[in-house]
């Protein structure tokens, strides 16, 4: 039975399935980093973008616009080559990739959350202040929860985009799914088979992510309507 | 707006720093390697010259063995820095590694950006002919009765027409670089032209085919392959050149070439 199955599978799969599994995990690791650090920092940047102080707002808006208006590929090159030359601190592909994807995540999430915050009627903040609630309480219990729930579809969309964007990390030799697949195809001399399998893996993981994000969205919507 | 201007200034400055190669600090890489105790080598994937085994995550290949030997000669540890083909030269100029050791052709254009060592190997073209093709003379291919298979869309077509203008050129449309070889093996063509590595690989993988390389291991239009260092690195370059020539004299490079390239 086993031999029939292994005969049907392309040779590279039996030889390199473990490497491919690790590659998918590496892609997901960078996605988690971009989304985790990005979302947390994005909350802070979103609030800073709405600050009345131009000294705080100005640099943050400049950073967000700079990152949003340049391709991730260009940012990665700059972080990997120009930044170490400027600071004198060396970088590895993994470190540059982590900085790049986290920075990009923070700026994209910040823009989405800022939109969500502005969607919460200002009257609620005034009313909460009139009731004597602290600033911390107003932001953490009233404004941000609504802002995040309202923007869940946009946030989910960004998570999916970032999953696909992890393939760009291959250009600085991060061993994620794209890089590993290219390596395997060069070694086995079967680019069509390997790249087809890679596409299927992206579709599979992407569909799984969509399903998970949809679940999260419904759960939050249910909770908020209770 | 002010902040944006400042940021632009910083960006331009750093780009200049990279281009000028000042990000590396000192120009005596050889002394740096010795005091650091590590030789940092930049590599990008290309089988079998240097590639990372996806399973073990270890680099292996001709240039990996060469790099190990170089580190041994210098008495330091070897550190291979992962790069990709598009970042190989920028990474070298930015000082992420001391040398780029890849199967790179040393062309005059590239030599304006980096400094190349003396070539460690040459790669040229060779003819694959039917096993029963008479003689070893390539001039016999320039004959209207000879059919030469050519992978359509490849750079070989022009070279074939230049070398054997009177022969019939049979264009083969395929994604497989070995399809013209199969034409020769099946007797539908008398010869084909390809780079010498492709030819030896085909014959090595298919030992029973009725084809051979014309003139034994004779390659022509050879292009030198060399290692690249930063342009201001003369002391390191001197050492590398002596090391390469030494390895050629002792037969070490030839041994490695047989092991990894099969010719």
């Amino acid at each position: 039975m086993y031999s029939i199955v292994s005969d049907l599978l392309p040779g590279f799969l039996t030889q390199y399935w473990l490497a491919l599994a690790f590659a998918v995990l590496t892609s997901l690791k960078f996605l988690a980093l971009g989304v985790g650090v990005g979302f947390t920092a994005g909350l802070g940047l979103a609030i800073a973008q709405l600050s009345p102080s131009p000294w705080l707002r100005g640099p943050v808006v400049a950073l967000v616009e700079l990152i949003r208006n340049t391709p991730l590929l260009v940012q990665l090159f700059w972080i990997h080559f120009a930044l170490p030359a400027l600071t004198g601190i060396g970088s590895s592909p993994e470190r540059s990739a982590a900085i790049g994807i986290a920075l990009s995540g923070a700026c994209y999430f910040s823009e989405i959350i800022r939109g969500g915050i502005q969607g919460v009627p200002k009257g609620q903040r005034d009313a909460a202040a009139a009731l004597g609630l602290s600033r911390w309480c107003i932001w953490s219990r009233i404004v941000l929860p609504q802002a995040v729930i309202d923007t869940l579809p946009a946030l989910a969309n960004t998570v999916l985009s970032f999953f696909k964007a992890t393939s760009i990390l291959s250009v600085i030799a991060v061993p994620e799914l794209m890089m590993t697949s290219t390596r395997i195809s060069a070694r086995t001399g079967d680019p069509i088979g390997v790249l087809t399998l890679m596409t299927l893996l992206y579709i599979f993981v992407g569909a799984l992510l969509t399903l998970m994000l949809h679940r999260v969205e419904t759960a939050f919507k249910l909770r908020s309507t209770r | 707006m002010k902040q944006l201007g400042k940021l632009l200034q910083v960006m331009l400055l750093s780009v200049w720093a990279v281009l000028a190669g000042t990000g590396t600090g000192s120009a005596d890489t050889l002394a740096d390697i010795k005091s650091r105790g590590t030789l940092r080598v930049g590599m990008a994937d290309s089988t079998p010259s240097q590639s990372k085994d996806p399973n073990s995550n270890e680099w292996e290949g001709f240039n990996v063995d060469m790099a190990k030997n170089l580190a041994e000669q210098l008495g330091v540890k070897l550190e291979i820095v992962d790069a990709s083909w598009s970042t190989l030269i920028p990474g070298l100029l930015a000082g992420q590694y001391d040398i780029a050791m890849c199967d790179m052709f040393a062309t005059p254009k590239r030599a304006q950006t980096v400094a190349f060592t003396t070539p460690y190997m040459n790669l040229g073209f060779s003819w694959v002919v039917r096993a029963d093709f008479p003689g070893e003379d390539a001039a016999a291919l320039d004959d209207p009765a000879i059919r030469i298979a050519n992978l359509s869309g490849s750079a070989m077509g022009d070279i074939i027409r230049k070398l054997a203008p009177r022969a019939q050129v049979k264009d083969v449309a395929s994604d497989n670089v070995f399809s013209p070889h199969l034409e020769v093996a099946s007797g539908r063509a008398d010869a084909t032209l390809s780079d010498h590595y492709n030819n030896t690989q085909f014959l090595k993988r298919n030992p029973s085919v009725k084809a051979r390389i014309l003139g034994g291991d004779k390659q022509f239009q050879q292009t030198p392959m060399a290692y690249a260092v930063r342009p201001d690195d003369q002391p390191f370059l001197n050492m590398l050149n002596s090391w390469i020539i030494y390895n050629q004299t002792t037969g070490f490079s030839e041994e490695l070439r047989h092991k990894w390239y099969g010719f």
Side-chain angles (χ1 to χ4, degrees):
Chain A
M1 183 62 203
Y2 175 75
S3 78
I4 297 174
V5 175
S6 66
D7 281 352
L8 284 174
L9 290 174
F12 64 80
L13 198 57
T14 40
Q15 199 182 350
Y16 292 116
W17 67 272
L18 199 62
L20 282 166
F22 270 111
V24 171
L25 286 179
T26 306
S27 293
L28 289 175
K29 185 178 88 185
F30 281 101
L31 172 68
L33 200 85
V35 173
V37 177
F39 184 78
T40 317
L43 276 176
L45 290 182
I47 296 170
Q49 275 200 74
L50 296 169
S51 159
S53 156
W55 294 106
L56 183 59
R57 197 177 59 225
V60 172
V61 170
L63 175 74
V64 170
E65 289 310 317
L66 181 80
I67 298 295
R68 286 203 323 139
N69 291 305
T70 46
L72 179 58
L73 181 65
V74 175
Q75 293 162 19
L76 282 174
F77 268 96
W78 198 81
I79 292 167
H80 196 50
F81 297 113
L83 200 58
L86 203 65
T87 59
I89 304 165
S91 187
S92 66
E94 272 84 1
R95 192 189 294 172
S96 300
I99 295 171
I101 202 141
L103 195 64
S104 195
C107 293
Y108 273 93
F109 283 120
S110 150
E111 263 307 278
I112 296 170
I113 298 166
R114 183 190 57 77
I117 291 171
Q118 285 176 323
V120 177
K122 199 168 176 298
Q124 290 194 17
R125 252 185 281 175
D126 294 338
L131 285 170
L133 297 181
S134 66
R135 264 169 78 93
W136 170 253
C137 186
I138 294 172
W139 279 100
S140 69
R141 304 296 295 270
I142 296 169
V143 181
L144 286 181
Q146 293 187 77
V148 170
I149 287 166
D150 285 349
T151 52
L152 271 176
L155 291 173
N157 213 6
T158 308
V159 172
L160 207 60
S161 299
F162 269 83
F163 170 62
K164 291 180 281 183
T166 55
S167 64
I168 299 172
L169 303 178
S170 64
V171 78
I172 54 167
V174 173
E176 44 64 71
L177 185 52
M178 179 83 194
M179 181 79 199
T180 307
S181 303
T182 313
R183 272 192 179 132
I184 296 173
S185 86
R187 278 176 164 256
T188 55
D190 182 6
I192 297 168
V194 178
L195 297 182
T196 305
L197 180 71
M198 179 194 77
T199 312
L200 291 175
L201 283 171
Y202 272 115
I203 293 171
F204 177 72
V205 179
L208 221 61
L209 273 174
T210 310
L211 200 71
M212 267 171 53
L213 292 166
H214 190 70
R215 287 255 167 112
V216 171
E217 218 176 291
T218 348
F220 268 97
K221 285 256 161 75
L222 280 177
R223 253 181 64 185
S224 68
T225 49
R226 256 185 219 156
Chain B
M1 219 41 229
K2 229 179 194 168
Q3 279 93 354
L4 206 67
K6 183 116 191 187
L7 209 68
L8 271 173
Q9 206 181 335
V10 170
M11 278 184 78
L12 284 175
L13 257 173
S14 55
V15 167
W16 173 80
V18 169
L19 289 178
T22 50
T24 58
S26 117
D28 194 352
T29 305
L30 187 56
D32 288 347
I33 294 167
K34 292 269 186 185
S35 66
R36 201 191 304 128
T38 323
L39 167 72
R40 297 175 310 175
V41 177
M43 284 192 184
D45 281 79
S46 168
T47 322
S49 303
Q50 66 285 317
S51 67
K52 222 175 181 182
D53 183 337
N55 280 334
S56 67
N57 252 345
E58 294 285 333
W59 283 95
E60 58 179 38
F62 175 87
N63 287 320
V64 180
D65 286 355
M66 288 291 273
K68 282 178 186 161
N69 182 271
L70 178 60
E72 201 180 298
Q73 296 290 345
L74 288 165
V76 294
K77 274 191 290 191
L78 172 66
E79 184 196 336
I80 299 180
V81 181
D82 293 16
S84 63
W85 280 102
S86 44
T87 63
L88 191 64
I89 299 300
L92 176 70
L93 296 180
Q96 292 183 346
Y97 29 86
D98 309 310
I99 177 173
M101 294 179 78
C102 287
D103 49 336
M104 199 172 7
F105 286 118
T107 60
K109 246 204 176 98
R110 286 175 181 163
Q112 293 167 29
T113 316
V114 294
F116 281 113
T117 60
T118 239
Y120 61 87
M121 194 169 104
N122 296 313
L123 187 61
F125 305 115
S126 56
W127 292 103
V128 166
V129 292
R130 283 188 336 214
D132 55 2
F133 186 82
E136 300 295 339
D137 190 3
L141 291 167
D142 189 19
D143 184 308
I146 297 288
R147 301 155 301 166
I148 301 177
N150 167 47
L151 189 66
S152 59
S154 78
M156 300 299 148
D158 292 340
I159 305 170
I160 293 173
R161 283 181 189 95
K162 209 170 89 189
L163 292 171
R166 285 184 292 170
Q168 312 165 36
V169 178
K170 236 182 115 177
D171 283 314
V172 187
S174 169
D175 264 343
N176 187 344
V177 290
F178 294 127
S179 44
H181 299 79
L182 293 170
E183 290 292 297
V184 177
S186 65
R188 287 193 293 268
D190 303 297
T192 186
L193 182 78
S194 184
D195 77 58
H196 192 58
Y197 173 66
N198 268 353
N199 288 344
T200 47
Q201 282 303 299
F202 175 75
L203 294 175
K204 204 172 142 189
R205 285 189 208 171
N206 307 283
S208 57
V209 296
K210 292 186 178 63
R212 64 186 175 91
I213 292 175
L214 193 69
D217 259 356
K218 220 168 102 192
Q219 308 176 43
F220 52 91
Q221 291 198 359
Q222 300 202 34
T223 313
M225 293 209 274
Y227 301 132
V229 296
R230 284 180 288 274
D232 54 357
D233 244 349
Q234 199 57 50
F236 189 32
L237 198 60
N238 292 344
M239 182 270 153
L240 289 167
N241 287 342
S242 308
W243 168 72
I244 287 169
I245 292 165
Y246 178 80
N247 278 340
Q248 280 165 351
T249 329
T250 59
F252 176 73
S253 326
E254 201 187 336
E255 204 177 290
L256 284 187
R257 204 183 66 218
H258 279 298
K259 176 180 167 194
W260 291 103
Y261 296 101
F263 61 80

